[in-house]
Amino acid sequence: MLIKVLGSAAGGGFPQVNCNCRNCSGVRRGVPGLRARTQSSLAVSRDGAAWVLLNASPDLRQQLAATPGLAPHAEAGARSSPITAAVLTNGDVDHIAGLLSLREGLTFTLYASARVLGALSSNSVFDVLDRRLVPRVALPMGRATELARLGLVLEGFPVPGKVPLYLEDAAAGSSFGTREGDTLGLRVSDPATGTSFFYVPGCAAVDPALAERLKGAALVLFDGTLYTDDEMIAQGLSTKTGGRMGHISMSGRDGSIAAFQALDVKRRIFVHINNSNPVLCEESPERAEVEAAGWEVAFDGMEIRL
Ligand code: MLT
Ligand code: MN
Ligand code: ZN
């Protein structure tokens, strides 16, 4: 399997249009150790000919332009694309807005939870994706689905998370109306080689069910939004903690680094990294710390072969 990180940043990207935080202003000034990143998405293939997108970010057009393997193949017809499927892990804007760049008559299958498909159906702008060309398939939770033409098998499973910001129900108390299926983790496997990996770009906590699933995995690409739960508050960027946004932090007793310590995951890579996160700076002590704990920090264009 070939995995390409199309975009490694969280919603807003890096730098974010309205953000003057230390990282964003630094990357604009060309400070060494910082590099720009687009919003959260992966592309996966087993043969390099057909590809599945895992999330469709608002930066998709730019990401595809930067990735020659995802352009129409030279010998293909007048209109074609090697993208044959797209899978959504939630309904957040950073993971769905790129669908609007896949109109123009592309043919692919769209997979998501029934909850996320419901959010798309209730927003008529997504009807630009003609359902005859882009069938929408509800992923059965915890069961394998064969990805036609790709030779890959996909499994989606619910993980702790939060309903998208634009669907939050203030009257629903601390859950904001979150239900099962609002946030998924994915397992992608190649039956021909027996390889597989997990992709969990949004996750509020590593609960026992998730820990059990990830135990012994060869590769996990995991939510790296924040380093500390209150970093956006401390930097004067927001009034929200990571917990309020549905994201576990890297550090701390309840953080992802600690949670993975007993899981024996061979390769651990942070994705969906917010622009406030100090690990974005390659020279930072926080970056040294996550690397010392055995984690990698994804960057746009990163390639992984399994
Ligand atoms: C998130 O991951 O928390 C969301 O993408 C935030 C947003 O909507 O920008
Ligand atoms: Mn996001
Ligand atoms: Zn910023």
Side-chain angles (χ1 to χ4, degrees):
M1 251 188 300
L2 181 56
I3 303 161
K4 286 182 192 266
V5 177
L6 299 182
S8 52
F14 181 49
Q16 175 173 315
V17 287
N18 64 339
C19 193
N20 227 352
C21 75
R22 196 163 78 159
N23 281 340
C24 287
S25 61
V27 75
R28 284 190 197 101
R29 283 183 284 117
V31 167
L34 292 171
R35 58 171 124 178
R37 284 168 162 83
T38 61
Q39 293 165 83
S40 175
S41 176
L42 305 183
V44 184
S45 178
R46 72 174 310 273
D47 58 6
W51 290 84
V52 54
L53 290 180
L54 306 185
N55 289 320
S57 102
D59 302 320
L60 183 59
R61 185 181 174 283
Q62 175 189 347
Q63 294 167 342
L64 297 184
T67 315
L70 291 172
H73 296 154
E75 69 287 358
R79 287 281 167 92
S80 93
S81 168
I83 297 166
T84 63
V87 188
L88 307 176
T89 59
N90 63 22
D92 283 350
V93 172
D94 58 345
H95 287 159
I96 65 171
L99 291 174
L100 300 177
S101 302
L102 295 174
R103 57 197 196 282
E104 325 284 12
L106 268 79
T107 305
F108 64 97
T109 307
L110 177 59
Y111 298 91
S113 69
R115 271 286 278 178
V116 170
L117 291 182
L120 298 183
S121 296
S122 62
N123 189 331
S124 56
V125 73
F126 291 101
D127 292 341
V128 294
L129 298 175
D130 183 337
R131 288 167 192 258
R132 289 166 299 184
L133 301 178
V134 185
R136 301 179 187 187
V137 178
L139 276 176
M141 291 301 99
R143 293 220 315 271
T145 297
E146 265 182 55
L147 294 178
R149 289 185 284 169
L150 281 148
L152 297 172
V153 170
L154 174 71
E155 184 188 334
F157 49 90
V159 299
K162 186 184 70 62
V163 70
L165 189 57
Y166 60 91
L167 291 177
E168 282 187 4
D169 176 3
S174 62
S175 80
F176 302 99
T178 301
R179 291 201 220 139
E180 181 166 297
D182 279 328
T183 311
L184 299 188
L186 303 176
R187 177 175 192 248
V188 180
S189 36
D190 178 353
T193 58
T195 51
S196 68
F197 74 96
F198 290 90
Y199 174 54
V200 190
C203 185
V206 180
D207 65 8
L210 181 58
E212 192 51 41
R213 241 179 228 288
L214 300 182
K215 225 173 246 173
L219 168 66
V220 179
L221 296 114
F222 195 76
D223 186 340
T225 309
L226 302 179
Y227 184 75
T228 40
D229 192 50
D230 68 349
E231 81 190 30
M232 297 193 70
I233 301 170
Q235 295 182 44
L237 306 174
S238 167
T239 56
K240 291 180 183 172
T241 60
R244 168 64 183 83
M245 296 188 293
H247 296 292
I248 190 174
S249 314
M250 296 176 173
S251 65
R253 211 185 44 196
D254 300 324
S256 50
I257 293 172
F260 272 68
Q261 249 153 20
L263 298 186
D264 187 31
V265 173
K266 310 292 178 293
R267 196 169 174 192
R268 286 154 273 167
I269 304 177
F270 283 124
V271 292
H272 191 278
I273 304 152
N274 196 54
N275 54 74
S276 57
N277 192 324
V279 308
L280 284 175
C281 181
E282 289 160 21
E283 325 291 342
S284 67
E286 293 86 353
R287 175 65 159 261
E289 221 166 278
V290 302
E291 288 177 351
W295 285 80
E296 295 168 69
V297 176
F299 53 90
D300 291 17
M302 184 181 200
E303 286 193 4
I304 303 144
R305 278 173 199 279
L306 267 188

PDB file of all heavy atoms in Angstrom, residues 10-12 90 92-94 165 225 245 247 272, ligand 1:
ATOM      1  N   ALA A  10      -4.720  20.807  10.737  1.00  0.00           N
ATOM      2  CA  ALA A  10      -6.125  20.779  11.152  1.00  0.00           C
ATOM      3  C   ALA A  10      -6.898  21.863  10.400  1.00  0.00           C
ATOM      4  O   ALA A  10      -6.334  22.568   9.548  1.00  0.00           O
ATOM      5  CB  ALA A  10      -6.215  21.017  12.657  1.00  0.00           C
ATOM      6  N   GLY A  11      -8.189  21.990  10.729  1.00  0.00           N
ATOM      7  CA  GLY A  11      -9.042  23.005  10.106  1.00  0.00           C
ATOM      8  C   GLY A  11      -8.396  24.381  10.199  1.00  0.00           C
ATOM      9  O   GLY A  11      -7.872  24.759  11.245  1.00  0.00           O
ATOM     10  N   GLY A  12      -8.415  25.105   9.073  1.00  0.00           N
ATOM     11  CA  GLY A  12      -7.766  26.420   9.032  1.00  0.00           C
ATOM     12  C   GLY A  12      -6.431  26.379   8.318  1.00  0.00           C
ATOM     13  O   GLY A  12      -6.015  27.348   7.712  1.00  0.00           O
ATOM     14  N   ASN A  90     -15.575  12.452   9.430  1.00  0.00           N
ATOM     15  CA  ASN A  90     -16.587  13.242  10.146  1.00  0.00           C
ATOM     16  C   ASN A  90     -17.162  14.265   9.179  1.00  0.00           C
ATOM     17  O   ASN A  90     -16.804  14.276   7.993  1.00  0.00           O
ATOM     18  CB  ASN A  90     -16.012  13.892  11.422  1.00  0.00           C
ATOM     19  CG  ASN A  90     -14.905  14.894  11.138  1.00  0.00           C
ATOM     20  OD1 ASN A  90     -14.791  15.430  10.042  1.00  0.00           O
ATOM     21  ND2 ASN A  90     -14.077  15.132  12.134  1.00  0.00           N
ATOM     22  N   ASP A  92     -16.925  17.615   9.593  1.00  0.00           N
ATOM     23  CA  ASP A  92     -16.325  18.944   9.764  1.00  0.00           C
ATOM     24  C   ASP A  92     -15.952  19.540   8.408  1.00  0.00           C
ATOM     25  O   ASP A  92     -15.591  18.818   7.469  1.00  0.00           O
ATOM     26  CB  ASP A  92     -15.067  18.843  10.638  1.00  0.00           C
ATOM     27  CG  ASP A  92     -15.398  18.701  12.121  1.00  0.00           C
ATOM     28  OD1 ASP A  92     -16.580  18.863  12.481  1.00  0.00           O
ATOM     29  OD2 ASP A  92     -14.473  18.413  12.906  1.00  0.00           O
ATOM     30  N   VAL A  93     -15.990  20.856   8.358  1.00  0.00           N
ATOM     31  CA  VAL A  93     -15.724  21.567   7.097  1.00  0.00           C
ATOM     32  C   VAL A  93     -14.363  21.166   6.517  1.00  0.00           C
ATOM     33  O   VAL A  93     -14.219  21.000   5.304  1.00  0.00           O
ATOM     34  CB  VAL A  93     -15.799  23.095   7.333  1.00  0.00           C
ATOM     35  CG1 VAL A  93     -15.333  23.868   6.109  1.00  0.00           C
ATOM     36  CG2 VAL A  93     -17.232  23.494   7.688  1.00  0.00           C
ATOM     37  N   ASP A  94     -13.357  21.001   7.376  1.00  0.00           N
ATOM     38  CA  ASP A  94     -12.021  20.667   6.855  1.00  0.00           C
ATOM     39  C   ASP A  94     -11.973  19.279   6.215  1.00  0.00           C
ATOM     40  O   ASP A  94     -10.999  18.956   5.532  1.00  0.00           O
ATOM     41  CB  ASP A  94     -10.935  20.812   7.936  1.00  0.00           C
ATOM     42  CG  ASP A  94     -11.158  19.964   9.169  1.00  0.00           C
ATOM     43  OD1 ASP A  94     -12.279  19.453   9.368  1.00  0.00           O
ATOM     44  OD2 ASP A  94     -10.204  19.819   9.961  1.00  0.00           O
ATOM     45  N   LEU A 165     -19.106  21.506  14.303  1.00  0.00           N
ATOM     46  CA  LEU A 165     -19.381  22.817  14.895  1.00  0.00           C
ATOM     47  C   LEU A 165     -20.711  23.400  14.396  1.00  0.00           C
ATOM     48  O   LEU A 165     -21.514  23.916  15.179  1.00  0.00           O
ATOM     49  CB  LEU A 165     -18.219  23.737  14.495  1.00  0.00           C
ATOM     50  CG  LEU A 165     -18.096  25.101  15.114  1.00  0.00           C
ATOM     51  CD1 LEU A 165     -18.028  25.007  16.639  1.00  0.00           C
ATOM     52  CD2 LEU A 165     -16.841  25.803  14.582  1.00  0.00           C
ATOM     53  N   THR A 225      -4.030  17.362  16.921  1.00  0.00           N
ATOM     54  CA  THR A 225      -4.497  18.758  16.878  1.00  0.00           C
ATOM     55  C   THR A 225      -3.696  19.652  17.822  1.00  0.00           C
ATOM     56  O   THR A 225      -3.095  20.638  17.401  1.00  0.00           O
ATOM     57  CB  THR A 225      -6.005  18.823  17.220  1.00  0.00           C
ATOM     58  OG1 THR A 225      -6.708  17.892  16.398  1.00  0.00           O
ATOM     59  CG2 THR A 225      -6.557  20.222  16.966  1.00  0.00           C
ATOM     60  N   MET A 245     -13.441  20.859  21.870  1.00  0.00           N
ATOM     61  CA  MET A 245     -13.471  20.721  20.407  1.00  0.00           C
ATOM     62  C   MET A 245     -13.502  19.249  19.954  1.00  0.00           C
ATOM     63  O   MET A 245     -13.535  18.971  18.765  1.00  0.00           O
ATOM     64  CB  MET A 245     -12.254  21.413  19.790  1.00  0.00           C
ATOM     65  CG  MET A 245     -12.250  22.925  20.024  1.00  0.00           C
ATOM     66  SD  MET A 245     -10.940  23.774  19.105  1.00  0.00           S
ATOM     67  CE  MET A 245      -9.477  23.140  19.909  1.00  0.00           C
ATOM     68  N   HIS A 247     -11.046  16.992  20.718  1.00  0.00           N
ATOM     69  CA  HIS A 247      -9.697  16.529  20.388  1.00  0.00           C
ATOM     70  C   HIS A 247      -8.881  16.251  21.643  1.00  0.00           C
ATOM     71  O   HIS A 247      -8.721  17.131  22.498  1.00  0.00           O
ATOM     72  CB  HIS A 247      -8.959  17.574  19.539  1.00  0.00           C
ATOM     73  CG  HIS A 247      -9.582  17.803  18.195  1.00  0.00           C
ATOM     74  ND1 HIS A 247      -9.569  16.832  17.211  1.00  0.00           N
ATOM     75  CD2 HIS A 247     -10.235  18.872  17.672  1.00  0.00           C
ATOM     76  CE1 HIS A 247     -10.191  17.309  16.137  1.00  0.00           C
ATOM     77  NE2 HIS A 247     -10.610  18.525  16.385  1.00  0.00           N
ATOM     78  N   HIS A 272      -3.495  16.051  11.259  1.00  0.00           N
ATOM     79  CA  HIS A 272      -4.514  17.022  11.706  1.00  0.00           C
ATOM     80  C   HIS A 272      -3.935  17.888  12.829  1.00  0.00           C
ATOM     81  O   HIS A 272      -4.457  17.962  13.937  1.00  0.00           O
ATOM     82  CB  HIS A 272      -5.784  16.282  12.162  1.00  0.00           C
ATOM     83  CG  HIS A 272      -6.977  17.163  12.383  1.00  0.00           C
ATOM     84  ND1 HIS A 272      -7.181  17.888  13.540  1.00  0.00           N
ATOM     85  CD2 HIS A 272      -8.043  17.452  11.611  1.00  0.00           C
ATOM     86  CE1 HIS A 272      -8.308  18.561  13.466  1.00  0.00           C
ATOM     87  NE2 HIS A 272      -8.850  18.321  12.292  1.00  0.00           N
TER      88      HIS A 272
HETATM   89  C1  MLT B   1     -12.096  20.336  14.213  1.00  0.00           C
HETATM   90  O1  MLT B   1     -11.375  19.414  13.837  1.00  0.00           O
HETATM   91  O2  MLT B   1     -12.249  20.575  15.423  1.00  0.00           O
HETATM   92  C2  MLT B   1     -12.819  21.138  13.212  1.00  0.00           C
HETATM   93  O3  MLT B   1     -12.267  20.919  11.939  1.00  0.00           O
HETATM   94  C3  MLT B   1     -12.833  22.573  13.576  1.00  0.00           C
HETATM   95  C4  MLT B   1     -13.372  23.393  12.436  1.00  0.00           C
HETATM   96  O4  MLT B   1     -14.557  23.256  12.094  1.00  0.00           O
HETATM   97  O5  MLT B   1     -12.580  24.176  11.854  1.00  0.00           O
END
